[in-house]
Amino acid sequence: MALAPIPKVVLGSIAFAIFWVLAVFPSVPFLPIGRTAGSLLGAMLMVLFQVITPDQAYAAIDLPILGLLFATMVVSVYLERADMFKYIGKLLSWKSRGAKDLLCRICLISAVSSALFTNDTSCVVLTEFILKIARQHTLPPHPFLLALASSANIGSSATPIGNPQNLVIAVQSKISFGKFLTGILPAMIVGVVVNALILITMYWRLLSIHKDEEDPVEEVAAEEEVNSHQFSPATMSHFTSINSQEWNDCLESINIQNSPQVQTLRNRSAPIESEINNVLSSTCTLDSTRNSNASVEGTNDMASQTREETNPSKTVVAVDKPIEAHVMPSAEEKDYINEKWKRVLWKSCVLTITLGMLIGMLLGLNMSWTAITAALTLVVLDFKDARPCLEKVSYSLLIFFCGMFITVDGFNRTGIPSALWDFMEPYSQVDHASGIVILALVILILSNLASNVPTVLLLGAQVAASAAAISKEDENKAWLILAWVSTIAGNLSLLGSAANLIVCEQARRAPNLSYTLTFWNHLKFGLPSTLIITAIGLTLIR
């Protein structure tokens, strides 16, 4: 494509530069309006500068990508409501054997959850949990935060729904979910393993401060559950100890005809409270009650008989029926049981529908409509006003994508990206090892300069067209290389991907757990990790 007229090239470049600055540095002092407003500003300038017409701007918005992104966010909201991410977090501390084992678990769980539920969602859910574990055992948080962010990026590369750039590639390339997965999965698995080894090697001394046997991470799960989760009465044990109020409630549930006796026994429940607790915890009769002629007999009978201790002249109150430990459930307990089973059924439905969505995508169904169908099915089955769930969807991200589609399309119409690719194309053929290396370097650099999604939008069609001239297999390979390198490039620096920024912001704002992950701390790990994992993955992509 030839360059557009000079005024159009200059004005289009200015509009794109403003978008790029606000997308990469959303809080610049001269215009701190953020990424979303920055993308809309870039789109508006493209239209005002007549680089693109209003009709072309509307046509540039890719509705299938927006529909898929919206639907996956809705499904993630319902998965969060069903506590699926809480269970994922608990896997981090289940029978763990120390800091190195914890780091490996974070890498694995972050990668798998990102492939299924997007990298941004995994980072939002797991960051604070990881900070709690690190503080509990006085471990430095930054190796674990780096493991979370970098593994989330690597894991998200394996599926079309793992991150936004993969959504764009899957829709534009029309590669099925199954082919996408099988093409990148080997590279993803090896990449996660290598990433964990690099982290362990770099932070071996920090992770070896505490001996494994002295630092059992599994204790964190129980403590966090006690401190941060509400237990319903239906799930709590009733066989520990009984206080006076529970004893009165138990008496009220027994059908005793003689009400004066009941009243007398209630009045005496406080003095004999310690005896009742001792009867529940011991199979022997108390010696003190023998001396006072008041005995409590049998461990299976909670109180078969009560006698006067301090004033023998008073009438002895006896209970004809034994008080059993298992009484008929009250109406409230039945309600709790019903709610518990409704909750279990609801969680099962959410998990089943999510798995059905993934299976449908693997079978080659339209990804956007499959995800939308799953999202709306969850809305209907919830049988409640969906507004609270829909309000959790990141509409600012959807608007950002709309503005970005228009801005990037306008910049493409200036002819600058095509001219640059025409210069690089002879050296970037995917049927040669040297061409793959040069193509990967171009994608790597652009992804860190212009962010990964704009890079995919700028290069995708041209890279694919160049590879399609060789063969259909090379075209698919070019798309997968673009997906792999643009995603792993996000690990290079703190600004490389949204997942990195989410982890950084979540850690900085976490109440009582605040930690700042610096740019240089990330770069020191990110540079070697990105180069090594990118190179290894390129040899495994099929």
Side-chain angles (χ1 to χ4, degrees):
M1 179 180 177
L3 284 174
I6 297 299
K8 189 174 182 178
V9 170
V10 173
L11 294 175
S13 300
I14 292 173
F16 183 80
I18 292 173
F19 159 77
W20 177 82
V21 170
L22 294 177
V24 178
F25 308 103
S27 299
V28 290
F30 62 87
L31 197 62
I33 61 176
R35 290 187 176 89
T36 302
S39 71
L40 291 178
L41 177 61
M44 181 196 71
L45 291 176
M46 286 292 182
V47 176
L48 289 180
F49 292 160
Q50 297 184 356
V51 177
I52 189 173
T53 66
D55 290 338
Q56 290 172 336
Y58 285 123
I61 298 174
D62 201 321
L63 292 179
I65 295 174
L66 294 179
L68 182 56
L69 188 60
F70 168 79
T72 52
M73 285 192 286
V74 173
V75 172
S76 296
V77 169
Y78 280 97
L79 284 169
E80 183 180 4
R81 276 189 54 196
D83 295 333
M84 297 302 170
F85 296 112
K86 188 183 297 182
Y87 298 144
I88 291 175
K90 289 180 181 179
L91 287 175
L92 292 176
S93 56
W94 181 68
K95 294 185 178 180
S96 183
R97 301 190 178 214
K100 301 180 188 68
D101 180 44
L102 174 62
L103 187 139
C104 292
R105 287 185 182 219
I106 291 173
C107 290
L108 177 61
I109 292 173
S110 174
V112 174
S113 61
S114 297
L116 299 177
F117 311 121
T118 75
N119 53 356
D120 295 353
T121 301
S122 298
C123 291
V124 168
V125 171
L126 296 176
T127 299
E128 190 170 345
F129 191 90
I130 289 171
L131 288 173
K132 289 179 181 179
I133 295 178
R135 192 180 82 163
Q136 177 72 19
H137 299 285
T138 61
L139 293 168
H142 65 271
F144 304 106
L145 295 176
L146 289 173
L148 172 62
S150 59
S151 298
N153 286 328
I154 297 171
S156 69
S157 65
T159 64
I161 59 175
N163 55 59
Q165 63 268 20
N166 281 11
L167 294 176
V168 174
I169 291 172
V171 172
Q172 291 188 353
S173 67
K174 295 181 173 55
I175 298 176
S176 68
F177 190 100
K179 288 184 178 180
F180 199 108
L181 178 64
T182 56
I184 295 185
L185 184 61
M188 185 272 275
I189 294 173
V190 175
V192 171
V193 173
V194 173
N195 188 60
L197 292 176
I198 293 173
L199 282 165
I200 292 174
T201 302
M202 291 185 65
Y203 298 102
W204 180 271
R205 296 181 65 182
L206 287 176
L207 299 174
S208 302
I209 293 175
H210 300 280
K211 293 182 180 179
D212 294 345
E213 56 269 23
E214 295 176 356
D215 189 24
V217 181
E218 66 225 19
E219 294 175 2
V220 178
E223 180 172 343
E224 290 303 323
E225 286 179 3
V226 171
N227 293 336
S228 61
H229 298 299
Q230 297 290 332
F231 291 95
S232 63
T235 61
M236 294 186 70
S237 174
H238 295 282
F239 299 98
T240 53
S241 64
I242 302 179
N243 57 28
S244 58
Q245 181 61 42
E246 291 171 330
W247 177 242
N248 287 335
D249 294 340
C250 184
L251 288 174
E252 289 175 0
S253 67
I254 302 174
N255 185 15
I256 301 177
Q257 299 298 328
N258 193 341
S259 60
Q261 290 178 344
V262 174
Q263 184 61 36
T264 303
L265 188 54
R266 284 179 182 162
N267 294 334
R268 291 198 37 76
S269 61
I272 68 172
E273 177 181 351
S274 61
E275 295 180 22
I276 295 168
N277 289 330
N278 288 333
V279 168
L280 292 173
S281 62
S282 175
T283 61
C284 300
T285 308
L286 295 174
D287 292 338
S288 61
T289 58
R290 289 199 194 101
N291 296 332
S292 62
N293 295 326
S295 61
V296 181
E297 300 177 352
T299 56
N300 293 330
D301 299 334
M302 293 185 61
S304 64
Q305 188 176 15
T306 305
R307 299 182 183 276
E308 183 63 25
E309 294 176 11
T310 58
N311 189 358
S313 62
K314 288 188 178 181
T315 305
V316 175
V317 179
V319 180
D320 295 330
K321 296 182 178 181
I323 302 175
E324 298 179 355
H326 298 280
V327 296
M328 294 298 293
S330 64
E332 291 183 358
E333 288 174 335
K334 289 181 179 179
D335 290 340
Y336 283 128
I337 293 173
N338 291 336
E339 284 296 321
K340 177 183 176 181
W341 283 108
K342 286 180 181 178
R343 184 71 177 163
V344 170
L345 180 61
W346 164 244
K347 290 181 180 180
S348 301
C349 288
V350 173
L351 182 60
T352 301
I353 292 170
T354 304
L355 290 176
M357 178 188 76
L358 296 175
I359 293 172
M361 291 178 177
L362 282 171
L363 294 176
L365 299 178
N366 183 281
M367 285 188 288
S368 296
W369 282 106
T370 301
I372 291 172
T373 301
L376 292 179
T377 302
L378 291 173
V379 169
V380 172
L381 288 180
D382 192 29
F383 209 68
K384 295 177 183 176
D385 185 1
R387 184 175 62 180
C389 291
L390 295 179
E391 286 176 348
K392 293 183 179 181
V393 172
S394 179
Y395 295 101
S396 61
L397 180 61
L398 298 176
I399 295 172
F400 172 81
F401 265 75
C402 291
M404 181 177 61
F405 285 141
I406 297 172
T407 305
V408 172
D409 187 65
F411 188 60
N412 277 329
R413 291 177 184 274
T414 63
I416 295 177
S418 297
L420 293 175
W421 176 249
D422 289 341
F423 174 76
M424 295 299 302
E425 183 179 9
Y427 312 101
S428 305
Q429 298 297 320
V430 295
D431 57 342
H432 294 90
S434 59
I436 293 176
V437 171
I438 294 175
L439 176 62
L441 288 174
V442 170
I443 298 170
L444 192 67
I445 294 171
L446 279 179
S447 294
N448 279 276
L449 290 178
S451 187
N452 40 28
V453 179
T455 297
V456 168
L457 291 172
L458 287 170
L459 291 180
Q462 290 150 348
V463 171
S466 176
I470 304 172
S471 68
K472 179 64 177 177
E473 290 75 16
D474 285 318
E475 180 185 3
N476 289 340
K477 184 177 181 179
W479 280 115
L480 295 179
I481 289 173
L482 182 59
W484 172 254
V485 179
S486 64
T487 300
I488 305 305
N491 286 338
L492 183 64
S493 71
L494 192 60
L495 302 175
S497 75
N500 299 344
L501 296 173
I502 287 172
V503 170
C504 182
E505 286 299 306
Q506 290 281 105
R508 186 174 64 85
R509 296 180 181 180
N512 303 321
L513 300 167
S514 179
Y515 180 83
T516 301
L517 182 64
T518 65
F519 179 88
W520 293 110
N521 269 344
H522 190 285
L523 185 64
K524 183 173 65 174
F525 156 76
L527 181 60
S529 173
T530 301
L531 295 177
I532 293 171
I533 294 173
T534 301
I536 293 174
L538 288 174
T539 64
L540 298 174
I541 289 177
R542 296 183 296 172

